[in-house]
Amino acid sequence: MNTHIRASAGQEPWDAPELTSLNRSPMHAVPHPERMPLDGVWDFQLLSGPRAERAATWQSIDVPGLWTMQGTEDRPHYTNIAMPFDAPYPHPPRENPTGVYRRRFTAGDWAGRRVVLHVGAAESVLLVRLNGVDVGVSKDSHLAAEFDITDHLCAGDNELELTVVKWSDASYIEDQDQWWHGGIPRSVYIYTTGTTYLADLQAVADFDPTSGKGALTVTVDVAERLGPVPEGWTVRARLVARSEPAEAPVPPTRLLVVPPRERPGNHPDGPPLSQVPDGVLDLLTLFPAGASLTDQEQAIARLVHESAFPPRGGLVRLHAADLDVRPWSAEDPHLYPMDVELVAPSGEIAERATIRVGFRRVEIRGRDLLVNGRRVWIQGVNRHDFNPRTGRVISHEQMASELALLKRFNVNAVRTSHYPNDPAFLDLCDEYGLYVVDEADIEAHGHAATVCEDPRYLSAFVDRVSRMVRRDKNHPCVIMWSLGNESGYGVNHDAAAGWVRSYDPTRPLHYEGAIAADWHDGHRATDVVCPMYPTLDALRAYAEHPRADRPVILCEYAHSEGNSTGGLADYWDLFESTPGLQGGFVWEFADHGLDPDGDGRHRYGGDFGDLPNDGTQCINGLVFADGSPQPAFYEARHLFAPVRVVSATSEAQQGRVVLRNRQAFRDLANLLVELQVETLTGPGSVVTLPAPAIPPGGEGAVELPPLVVAALVEPDAVALTLTLRLADAEPWAVEGTEIARLQVPLGIPAALPAVGIPAGRVPVDEEGLLTHPLLSAPPTLSLWRAQTDNDLSPSLDRRAVRSGLFRVTRTLADLTVTGPTATLVSHYTAAYGATITHRQHITAVTDTCFRLAETVVVPDELEDIPRLGITFATIPGFEQVSWLGLGPHETYPDRKRSGLLGRFTSSVDELAVPYLRPQENGGRADVTELVLTAETNQRITVTTDRPVQMNVSHLQPADLENARHTWELKPRPETFVHLDLAHRGLGTAAVGPDTHPNHRLRAGEYHWTWQLELG
C-alpha cells in the first residue's frame, strides 16, 4: 500500500476538505542556501487509485515533470468550468490516477543539523514517506510543501517516496480554466540548517514620496527545532554596501509563571513580606484604557503586562528610517541586496540569508492606485504556467524569456492567474520591473456559490491565501494580493481577507467575486473594482456614478481566443479619458496548445479523448503556444507604448512632432527615435535622433531635420514613422531593441484616376462574369468569412449562421453589354431565403484594365453580416503580394490602431496567421492598392476608390471551416483574393463583449468602385 496516513475518523486525506496538511512545516520567506537537489530521473508507477496495490516493476520519469505529459495512459484533460470527473461534491472519483515517485539518495554530513524536504509543487495531494515511515501530507498544487525529515533519516542511503493523488477534495477549489494534469511540476530538494535557525524573514521597505526617503523594517523569526529559543543569539541585518549592520539580541522563549494561590489556613508565625504593591494589577487595565498615570506607573504597567503576557521568543525587529534610497517601480526597478545573519552565542555566523528589497509604497487614495505617490497605468496580462511540451513545468530560462518579451511589448503588470507562481518568477519580476497581482490557488468555478460558504473549506481558503502571502511578502513587484478567482463570494473569503489585512497592511486586496453582483459592494474583500469582461458602457456608468469610490482595474478583459482582441483600443481610449479607470489584465498571455510529441501539432480540449472538454477556449493568448507574438500582441504593444503622438499632421509638415510621455517615473532619455517617411513606393531612409528628455506625464517636441521635412511635403509621402528603440541595454533587452512604432499619417490620395474614352471590350460570359486567362475564378460578391472563435460564441446565438450566408446561390437577373461596358444585376440568395441584390457596371478602360462600379443592397432581414465585398481567384503562380495600406501585420476594422500606413510586400503564405483552429485570418485593413506578381513577371493590380479590407490566401473560407487544426490545412495552388468594402470587426464575444456596433455590417445600400488590371 502507498501510505497508512488517515485524516481522522477513518477519512482519507484526499477526501477530507477540512485537512489542509499534516506535519507540514510553516510557510516562510527564507532562502536557505545549503541544498541537495533531487531533480532528475525517478522511479515511477501510475496506479488506478491511492489505495491500489503497486506493481513489481517501475518505470523512469522526470522530476520536475507531469506524468500526463510523459507518455502514460493518463492524458491531459481540459475543462473551463465543469469538473473533469463524475463524483458528488466534495468527493473525488473512485478511479483516481495516483503517481508513486521513488528516489534513493545518500545523506550528507548532517549530524546535529535540521534537515528539511522541499517539494516545489504537486498536483493535487502529496503524501511523503521516507525509509518506510509516513512523514506528512500537503494540499495546494501551486505552493511548496516542506517537511522536517531529521528524525526519519538514516546515515548513508535513504529511500524517499512521494505519492501524488490527482483528484481530491482540493480539486474543487483548483477548478481553473486550464489543463488538468498530475505530477510534480516544480523542483524537489533537501536543505539543512542548524537546530537554531532563521524560521522566517519579513522586510518592509517603504518609500515616502513626499520626503523622498526610505524606511526599512526587518522582522526576523528565529526558532529552535525541538524546544524554546535559547539565550545568547543575535540577529544582524544590513543593506549590502549601503549601511552598517544593525543588530539585536534574540529574545529567548519565556514562559508565564503564575504564583501559587494561597491555601486557606496557611498562616506563618510572622507576617509575610509584601511582594505585590497595592493596585499593581489594576494597572493591567488602567494603562490600556488610557487612564492618567505617572511615568513611574506607566513603566510598572509595562513590566506587569510583560510578566502577565510574555512576548514571543525568537522574534526580532530592526528598523531604520530616513534612508537615502532610489525607489523601486516597474519603470525603474532598483533593488538593494540585504543580508540577514543569525549569530550564535560564540560569535559564529550560524546562518546567512540574502534577499533583495525594493523601496516602494503602494496605496489607494480615492479612486487611484498609487505607486510611490503616483498613479500608474496597469497594462497587464493574465498568465498561466504553460509549456507545450511539459505542461506546467517551466524552466527559469522560459520564465526569463517570457518576461523579457512582455517588457519589450510594454506590458508592465502580470496577474498570476490563478495561483502563485514559482518564486523565481517573482524574482525576475522584481528585477525586470513588472507589477504583480499575486493570486491564491483558489478557484471553485463549478461550485462557486457553495464552496465559499462551506465551513469544511474555511481552513483551505485561509491556508492557501496566508501561505502565499507569507512566502511572497518580500517581493516589491507584488502590489496586490488576490484571494483567488471565480469562487463566488462568502464568509470564507472574508476570513482570508481579514488575515491578510492584519498580517500585511501595506498592500491592497483584489478579488473580483466580491464585486461581481454589485461594483459598489465587497469592500471587506477587495480594495479595487476588478470586473471581468465589462462593456464600455458599464465602465462609463460606474465611473460617473456618485457612489464610485475605488479604482477600476479590470482583472480580465479583451479575451484573445483565436483571431480576436477587437476593440482593445476602445478600452484604452476610455481608460485614458475617464477618471477612476486605470487599466487591466488582458486574457491572456499564451495559447495553451499542448504538443507532447514535439511534432509541432498543437492540441486543444478533446484532442486527447478528454470528455467533457471546452475545446478551444484554452487557445486564447496574445502569443502562440510556441511563444511567438500574435498580431493582437502588436496592437497591445502600440497601446501600451510609453509615448503617444499628440500633434497634428500639419505640425509634422512644419517640422515638429509633439510627444506625450505616458510613464509615471522616467523621462525619455533612455530612448532613441528613428524617423522614416513612408511613400507610395516604400519607406525612405532612416534618420536617428535621441528622444527628447520629456518628464513623466509631460509633453515635448521632436524637431525634425530639414531632409525629413522636405520628404514629408513631397506628393508621394503618406506617413511619418517614428520607431522607438532602447538607447541602452536593459536586463530584458539589448541596446537598440524596438519597443514601439508610432505614425503621423498624411493620408493616401485618391487611387483611381479619371477614365478617358474606354478603349477595350468587356470579356464577360453568359452569366455576366468577367473572364480572363489570369483568373481561375471571376470577381463575385463575397458575404461569408470562415467563422472566428468569437463568431461561434453562444452569446451570439448563431447570428451569422441564421443569416444563411454560409451558402449563397447567384442568379443573373439582367445583363447589358454595350461596346466597352457591361451592366449586370445579380441576386444572391442565402440558404434561408434572404436575397441580396448586386448591381455591377464594368468599363473596359483597355483590354486588360477594367473599372467596376459596385452597388449592393442588403435587405432588412439581414441584421448583421460577416463581410461585404468582392472575391476572385488567380491561376497558380501568383505568390508575391505588394499592398498600399496598413501593415505589416494582420489588421481588422476594430484591431488596427497598431497598423502602419505604407507600402508593404510579402509572400502569400506569409500573410496567413496560423490560429490553431482555422478561421478568418491574414487580413490587412485600409488597403487602396494591391499588386500580385508571378514568377513570370505577370502582374495583377487592384486599386480602389476608398480603403478596403484585403485578404490574399491559398485557402478558401470553406477550407478553413472544414479543418479542426491549422496543421490539417492543404493550401491550394490558386491565389484567392478578398476585397471587402466592409468587414465585421473581431470583438471578443467568445468571452466578453461582441464587436462594437460601429464595426458591424447592417442592412442598407453600399457603393464603391475599384479597378482590376490584368497583365
Side-chain angles (χ1 to χ4, degrees), residues 765-912:
D765 62 16
E766 65 276 7
E767 290 297 320
L769 299 175
L770 186 67
T771 63
H772 191 277
L774 296 184
L775 298 180
S776 64
T780 55
L781 202 58
S782 175
L783 302 163
W784 185 255
R785 70 183 182 192
Q787 290 189 282
T788 67
D789 290 311
N790 291 329
D791 293 339
L792 296 171
S793 172
S795 68
L796 298 191
D797 192 26
R798 308 195 75 186
R799 189 183 306 163
V801 172
R802 284 189 285 111
S803 74
L805 295 174
F806 57 88
R807 185 176 66 249
V808 294
T809 302
R810 177 185 178 273
T811 57
L812 179 65
D814 186 59
L815 172 61
T816 302
V817 180
T818 306
T821 67
T823 302
L824 56 145
V825 177
S826 304
H827 296 305
Y828 288 76
T829 303
Y832 304 133
T835 297
I836 293 174
T837 300
H838 177 209
R839 184 178 185 275
Q840 191 175 59
H841 181 76
I842 306 174
T843 301
V845 180
T846 69
D847 285 339
T848 59
C849 180
F850 308 96
R851 183 162 298 187
L852 298 93
E854 314 282 2
T855 299
V856 177
V857 179
V858 179
D860 291 343
E861 61 200 276
L862 294 178
E863 61 183 32
D864 190 355
I865 65 177
R867 75 189 328 156
L868 177 61
I870 294 294
T871 183
F872 64 87
T874 76
I875 62 173
F878 284 87
E879 298 295 335
Q880 296 302 311
V881 184
S882 169
W883 74 97
L884 187 62
L886 295 185
H889 55 266
E890 175 193 79
T891 49
Y892 281 85
D894 60 349
R895 202 192 67 211
K896 64 178 184 179
R897 193 71 63 86
S898 58
L900 302 173
L901 188 60
R903 170 74 63 181
F904 301 95
T905 60
S906 171
S907 70
V908 174
D909 289 339
E910 288 170 345
L911 290 174

Side-chain angles (χ1 to χ4, degrees), residues 977-994:
V977 178
H978 284 268
L979 302 167
D980 297 332
L981 172 69
H983 193 104
R984 195 181 198 276
L986 301 170
T988 58
V991 180
D994 188 17

Side-chain angles (χ1 to χ4, degrees), residues 25-40:
S25 299
M27 185 60 82
H28 61 86
V30 180
H32 298 290
E34 297 184 36
R35 299 179 181 180
M36 170 188 284
L38 297 180
D39 289 351

Side-chain angles (χ1 to χ4, degrees), residues 40 74 159 173 210 231 272 284 302 305 352 471 629 634 680 755 819 828 893 897 947 956 968 988:
D74 185 31
E159 184 175 89
I173 55 172
T210 302
E231 295 192 33
L284 282 174
R302 291 189 183 93
H305 187 275
R352 176 186 290 115
R471 188 196 73 168
Y634 286 94
L680 294 174
V755 176
Y828 288 76
R897 193 71 63 86
Q956 295 180 301
E968 297 169 357
T988 58

Side-chain angles (χ1 to χ4, degrees), residues 288-490:
S292 178
L293 301 175
T294 66
D295 290 346
Q296 183 180 13
E297 288 171 328
Q298 291 183 35
I300 294 172
R302 291 189 183 93
L303 289 173
V304 172
H305 187 275
E306 282 196 15
S307 298
F309 306 101
R312 178 178 159 195
L315 197 64
V316 177
R317 282 194 175 88
L318 302 169
H319 181 75
D322 200 33
L323 300 174
D324 291 320
V325 294
R326 180 172 154 191
W328 185 97
S329 69
E331 296 169 22
D332 185 17
H334 193 74
L335 297 169
Y336 293 91
M338 183 181 73
D339 285 341
V340 175
E341 297 171 339
L342 178 62
V343 184
S346 65
E348 179 185 1
I349 297 174
E351 188 172 5
R352 176 186 290 115
T354 301
I355 65 171
R356 298 182 298 182
V357 299
F359 288 85
R360 59 105 180 94
R361 179 181 294 179
V362 180
E363 58 187 322
I364 290 177
R365 194 180 301 163
R367 293 170 62 187
D368 293 324
L369 172 71
L370 306 180
V371 175
N372 299 334
R374 298 184 184 180
R375 191 174 190 265
V376 296
W377 292 117
I378 300 301
Q379 301 173 167
V381 298
N382 286 276
R383 179 193 171 277
H384 274 289
D385 280 346
F386 176 77
N387 180 284
R389 293 297 311 279
T390 62
R392 271 190 285 280
V393 180
I394 311 298
S395 67
H396 188 275
E397 291 74 20
Q398 180 183 338
M399 287 184 239
S401 176
E402 289 182 357
L403 291 176
L405 180 65
L406 290 175
K407 288 290 289 186
R408 295 196 301 272
F409 274 67
N410 303 313
V411 172
N412 72 351
V414 174
R415 176 177 173 231
T416 66
S417 51
H418 298 292
Y419 39 81
N421 285 187
D422 191 301
F425 180 85
L426 297 181
D427 288 338
L428 288 164
C429 290
D430 290 340
E431 179 181 348
Y432 288 5
L434 288 112
Y435 302 122
V436 173
V437 174
D438 204 358
E439 189 150 280
D441 190 13
I442 300 174
E443 180 171 339
H445 205 160
H447 298 78
T450 302
V451 173
C452 62
E453 299 282 0
D454 190 334
R456 292 173 293 182
Y457 281 95
L458 172 61
S459 296
F461 272 63
V462 176
D463 181 68
R464 287 165 181 252
V465 172
S466 64
R467 293 180 74 234
M468 172 187 71
V469 173
R470 292 178 65 89
R471 188 196 73 168
D472 297 340
K473 56 184 173 272
N474 295 328
H475 288 280
C477 65
V478 177
I479 62 169
M480 282 190 278
W481 302 116
S482 173
L483 303 181
N485 184 63
E486 293 178 323
S487 301
Y489 177 46

Side-chain angles (χ1 to χ4, degrees), residues 38 41-43 58 102-106 157-160:
L38 297 180
V41 178
W42 289 51
D43 297 332
W58 297 74
R102 184 179 70 182
R103 161 101 191 220
R104 292 175 177 83
F105 66 91
T106 301
D157 291 339
N158 291 262
E159 184 175 89
L160 174 64

Side-chain angles (χ1 to χ4, degrees), residues 664-684:
F665 301 102
R666 296 188 74 168
D667 63 20
L668 302 185
N670 67 319
L671 298 178
L672 299 173
V673 180
E674 289 182 353
L675 305 173
Q676 194 168 29
V677 176
E678 309 290 342
T679 73
L680 294 174
T681 57

